[in-house]
């Protein structure tokens, strides 16, 4: 798509994409195990499959907000670029695994033929999106990438993730002169890899709103609990918001306004990154948070307001989870509508109405607020 000369950078989303990322084949099995028990006639596609991303691409190309989208080709990351976030031994492990035809990195995380190239494309495409914003060529950029990245830690893979796309982009922003970067992760799972990468830094505020799932094994030792606040100079700059199952639209909006907005206001970043997963939706097989399109639209609006106030409108969006093949695309559309402040909604929600009771979630969020106010130094200033 060619940029419209009448479309300002604040009313346009520059989408960075490369179809080579579709070559990451995660296979079939029982959910994400890759296993065939021998007594089922029909196996699942692995939830992190190419179909989900194909629909995200198509809704932006042929859907109602397509006039606000400008397309840009992604690229492969250089190995030297990966070392800004990842340990050399870990990068070499991935290279050797690819040379040998693949490896099961951890539960549900399969490096198959084509996966390493797709991972390099995801990382490089995200870096290109960030550079586009840093160079002033656009205000809002969206890295539409897979494999996802926010669970990948500096030294290990985790949760379908090999390279931490968002973490690499944050480090690029810091290396390019940004003083402070705020990361808001709305994927249903804790963004443990990004948090781990900046756990001792006071230049990066990592905020993660996630299902209260705890640790899930050696690849994911972090719990995502409220007391994982960072270490050393980074103490207080990792804010976890573990939310009860079924929190829903009103609960998420309350968390954004009660916890996320005040923290970003205190931190005053000059760059903001939205780590976007649609697996918090009411339909997702990997989450139970019951967000609908209205909830995602509200989150998009809040993130737009924060970007306009603190980063001169600059916002990088990085794609993560979201495993319902059709509804994830709908929720993406709603998120970007919110960021663009478009109204009324351009697509009706196939859910229509989803029952909500945010009373318990509000109590949990209020308790997290009290804990943060008592224990996070920069919030007291």
């Amino acid at each position: 798509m060619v940029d419209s000369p009448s479309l300002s950078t604040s009313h346009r989303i520059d989408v960075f994409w490369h179809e080579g990322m579709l070559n990451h084949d995660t296979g079939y099995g029982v959910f994400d195990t890759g296993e065939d028990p021998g007594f089922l006639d029909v196996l699942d596609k692995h939830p992190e499959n190419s179909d989900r991303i194909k629909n995200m691409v198509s809704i932006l190309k042929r859907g109602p907000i397509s006039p606000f989208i400008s397309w840009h080709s992604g690229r492969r990351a250089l190995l030297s670029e990966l070392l800004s976030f990842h340990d050399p031994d870990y990068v070499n492990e991935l290279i050797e695994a690819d040379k040998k035809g693949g490896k099961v990195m951890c539960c549900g995380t399969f490096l198959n033929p084509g996966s390493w190239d797709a991972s390099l494309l995801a990382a490089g495409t995200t870096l290109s999106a960030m550079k586009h914003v840093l160079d002033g060529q656009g205000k809002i950029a969206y890295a539409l990438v897979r494999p996802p990245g926010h669970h990948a830690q500096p030294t290990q893979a985790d949760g379908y993730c090999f390279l931490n796309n968002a973490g690499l982009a944050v480090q690029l922003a810091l290396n390019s002169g940004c003083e402070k970067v705020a990361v808001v992760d709305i994927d249903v799972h804790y963004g443990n890899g990004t948090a781990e990468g900046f756990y001792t830094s006071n230049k990066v505020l990592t905020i993660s709103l996630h299902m209260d799932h705890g640790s899930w094994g050696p690849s994911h030792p972090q719990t995502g609990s409220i007391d994982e606040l960072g270490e050393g100079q980074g103490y207080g700059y990792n804010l976890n918001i573990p939310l009860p199952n079924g929190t829903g639209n009103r609960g998420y909006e309350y968390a954004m306004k009660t916890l996320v907005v005040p923290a970003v206001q205190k931190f005053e970043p000059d760059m903001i990154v939205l780590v976007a997963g649609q697996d918090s939706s009411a339909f997702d097989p990997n989450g139970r948070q019951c967000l609908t399109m209205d909830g995602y639209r509200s989150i998009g609006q809040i993130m737009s307001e924060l970007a306009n106030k603190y980063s001169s409108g600059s916002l990088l969006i990085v794609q993560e989870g979201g495993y319902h093949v059709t509804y994830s695309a709908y929720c993406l559309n709603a998120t970007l509508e919110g960021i663009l402040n478009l109204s009324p909604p351009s697509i009706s929600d196939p859910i229509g109405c989803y029952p909500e009771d945010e009373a318990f979630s509000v109590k949990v969020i209020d308790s997290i607020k009290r804990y943060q106010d008592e224990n996070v130094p920069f919030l007291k200033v």
Side-chain angles (χ1 to χ4, degrees):
M1 176 179 174
V2 178
D3 292 352
S4 168
S6 61
L7 204 59
S8 71
T9 56
S10 62
H11 289 87
R12 183 187 77 215
I13 296 179
D14 293 298
V15 177
F16 286 75
W17 159 252
H18 194 293
E19 66 179 10
M21 290 181 280
L22 298 175
N23 294 329
H24 173 45
D25 184 356
T26 47
Y28 290 79
V30 177
F31 195 56
D32 66 359
T33 64
E35 297 176 358
D36 181 351
F39 48 72
L40 296 176
D41 285 341
V42 181
L43 296 174
D44 294 313
K45 274 191 174 183
H46 189 289
E48 204 294 281
N49 61 70
S50 60
D51 290 347
R52 53 186 283 271
I53 296 295
K54 288 178 182 177
N55 275 343
M56 293 179 189
V57 172
S58 64
I59 201 170
L60 298 184
K61 285 191 172 182
R62 304 199 306 272
I65 67 169
S66 60
F68 299 91
I69 303 297
S70 177
W71 291 90
H72 304 263
S73 181
R75 65 171 178 88
R76 291 167 182 82
L78 302 174
L79 293 181
S80 59
E81 292 175 311
L82 304 183
L83 301 181
S84 68
F85 186 92
H86 290 288
D87 183 83
D89 289 341
Y90 171 58
V91 173
N92 287 334
E93 178 187 359
L94 293 171
I95 294 171
E96 290 304 310
D98 177 60
K99 288 179 180 178
K100 294 177 180 178
K103 181 179 180 180
V104 180
M105 303 302 297
C106 59
C107 181
T109 307
F110 307 108
L111 188 81
N112 292 325
S115 300
W116 178 234
D117 187 62
S119 298
L120 291 174
L121 282 168
T125 297
T126 307
L127 288 169
S128 291
M130 175 60 92
K131 189 173 188 303
H132 187 81
V133 175
L134 293 172
D135 289 348
Q137 298 180 54
K139 288 290 187 183
I140 308 167
Y142 170 38
L144 178 45
V145 295
R146 75 179 285 266
H150 73 148
H151 295 311
Q153 295 143 73
T155 60
Q156 64 177 347
D158 177 40
Y160 314 162
C161 304
F162 305 100
L163 298 173
N164 196 305
N165 307 313
L168 289 163
V170 169
Q171 192 59 57
L172 175 62
L174 295 174
N175 293 345
S176 300
C178 289
E179 295 293 329
K180 293 187 289 186
V181 181
V183 180
V184 179
D185 188 329
I186 62 169
D187 187 278
V188 80
H189 304 109
Y190 177 34
N192 60 311
T194 315
E196 186 74 17
F198 301 104
Y199 209 60
T200 60
S201 174
N202 61 0
K203 296 182 181 297
V204 181
L205 173 64
T206 48
I207 305 174
S208 178
L209 301 92
H210 50 264
M211 181 171 63
D212 191 5
H213 52 68
S215 169
W216 58 55
S219 71
H220 192 108
Q222 305 85 358
T223 66
S225 60
I226 59 175
D227 58 354
E228 290 180 347
L229 289 168
E231 294 178 351
Q233 287 187 328
Y235 182 80
Y237 293 94
N238 185 66
L239 300 180
N240 290 333
I241 305 173
L243 296 169
N245 287 355
T247 289
N249 297 339
R250 292 195 294 267
Y252 264 78
E253 184 174 2
Y254 187 72
M256 290 291 294
K257 291 180 177 179
T258 304
L259 300 173
V260 176
V261 170
V264 173
Q265 287 176 336
K266 285 281 188 179
F267 187 64
E268 295 184 326
D270 45 7
M271 176 59 70
I272 297 178
V273 177
L274 172 62
V275 179
Q278 295 80 31
D279 45 4
S280 296
S281 84
F283 278 178
D284 203 88
N286 246 348
R288 302 291 181 270
Q289 295 306 76
C290 297
L291 277 176
T292 69
M293 292 172 69
D294 283 345
Y296 281 101
R297 191 175 293 106
S298 174
I299 290 171
Q301 290 168 345
I302 292 169
M303 293 304 301
S304 175
E305 291 167 3
L306 288 172
N308 287 332
K309 187 170 183 180
Y310 294 103
S311 58
S312 302
S314 296
L315 176 66
L316 173 68
I317 309 153
V318 182
Q319 180 61 43
E320 293 291 346
Y323 304 105
H324 191 284
V325 171
T326 55
Y327 197 57
S328 294
Y330 277 61
C331 292
L332 168 64
N333 188 86
T335 305
L336 300 187
E337 277 185 339
I339 289 170
L340 290 167
N341 290 303
L342 300 178
S343 61
S346 61
I347 301 176
S348 61
D349 195 324
I351 289 180
C353 178
Y354 200 92
E356 288 191 57
D357 182 358
E358 73 275 22
F360 179 62
S361 297
V362 166
K363 289 181 180 179
V364 171
I365 293 162
D366 286 342
S367 69
I368 296 173
K369 175 68 172 172
R370 289 192 294 272
Y371 179 86
Q372 290 182 352
D373 286 345
E374 292 171 2
N375 292 280
V376 177
F378 88 89
L379 292 178
K380 299 177 183 179
V381 177

